[in-house]
Amino acid sequence: MLILKGQQALINAGINALEITSNTPGFEQEIAKARTAYKNTLIGAGTIINTTLAQQAIDAGAQFIVTPNTNKSVVELAHQHGLPVLMGALTPTDVANAIEYNADIIKVFPAGSMGVGYFKALTGPFSEAELMPVGGVNLDNLSQWFEAGACGAAVSSDFCKVVNNEQERSKLTRLVKSYISKLP
């Protein structure tokens, strides 16, 4: 979840995609506001666990859908609207199902709980899949996830900051730039 006051700092620092989770109060309005405010940034909806939430996100203008779970109906609905889906999966069965359901990217979640070794083990049998760790990704281990075969990584806790003053904005900007400097 991204707090609106910090979104501009994230974008100014080089972030070009923001996810607004469905458990954010008024998430549909927040998506619409972000789409208006940040025209050159991809604005997506996260924590989309079913088609009801997916439709609300689509109606609000989400440009991509992120799920914590493996749900074929969500992928079908999103793809009908031309939206990519980052589908949550943890087990090999979940990953295989997400591939079968045509998920665009498979969000291994919660990746940090299982560790980089587990993630790397998934890349063996699923070497053709676009796997992305979510949960537990931080500045200290970002490079390890990419070395293990990640196609991308999602960062949440470090970036979910309310920015109340220039000092906090500057600190968040430096943190984002530190992450970006570690990208392959």
Side-chain angles (χ1 to χ4, degrees), residues 104-126:
D104 300 283
I105 293 176
I106 299 167
K107 166 187 158 179
V108 178
F109 174 78
S113 298
M114 301 304 285
V116 174
Y118 177 80
F119 182 88
K120 179 132 179 81
L122 285 176
T123 66
F126 302 110

Side-chain angles (χ1 to χ4, degrees), residues 58-137:
I58 291 164
D59 292 344
Q63 295 169 291
F64 61 91
I65 301 292
V66 183
T67 76
N69 58 319
T70 309
N71 185 320
K72 181 179 184 179
S73 297
V74 169
V75 174
E76 290 172 343
L77 178 62
H79 284 178
Q80 287 171 8
H81 293 274
L83 300 182
V85 177
L86 290 79
M87 178 165 281
L90 182 62
T91 69
T93 300
D94 294 339
V95 172
N97 286 338
I99 291 167
E100 184 177 324
Y101 301 160
N102 294 313
D104 300 283
I105 293 176
I106 299 167
K107 166 187 158 179
V108 178
F109 174 78
S113 298
M114 301 304 285
V116 174
Y118 177 80
F119 182 88
K120 179 132 179 81
L122 285 176
T123 66
F126 302 110
S127 61
E128 306 277 322
E130 297 287 337
L131 300 177
M132 181 178 82
V134 177
V137 175

Side-chain angles (χ1 to χ4, degrees), residues 22-77:
S22 68
N23 52 5
T24 300
F27 90 100
E28 299 118 299
Q29 294 79 17
E30 294 302 321
I31 289 170
K33 281 192 242 177
R35 287 289 311 271
T36 299
Y38 313 117
K39 298 214 183 281
N40 296 320
T41 302
L42 289 174
I43 306 297
T47 317
I48 304 299
I49 60 173
N50 56 46
T51 55
T52 300
L53 289 170
Q55 189 62 59
Q56 291 171 336
I58 291 164
D59 292 344
Q63 295 169 291
F64 61 91
I65 301 292
V66 183
T67 76
N69 58 319
T70 309
N71 185 320
K72 181 179 184 179
S73 297
V74 169
V75 174
E76 290 172 343
L77 178 62

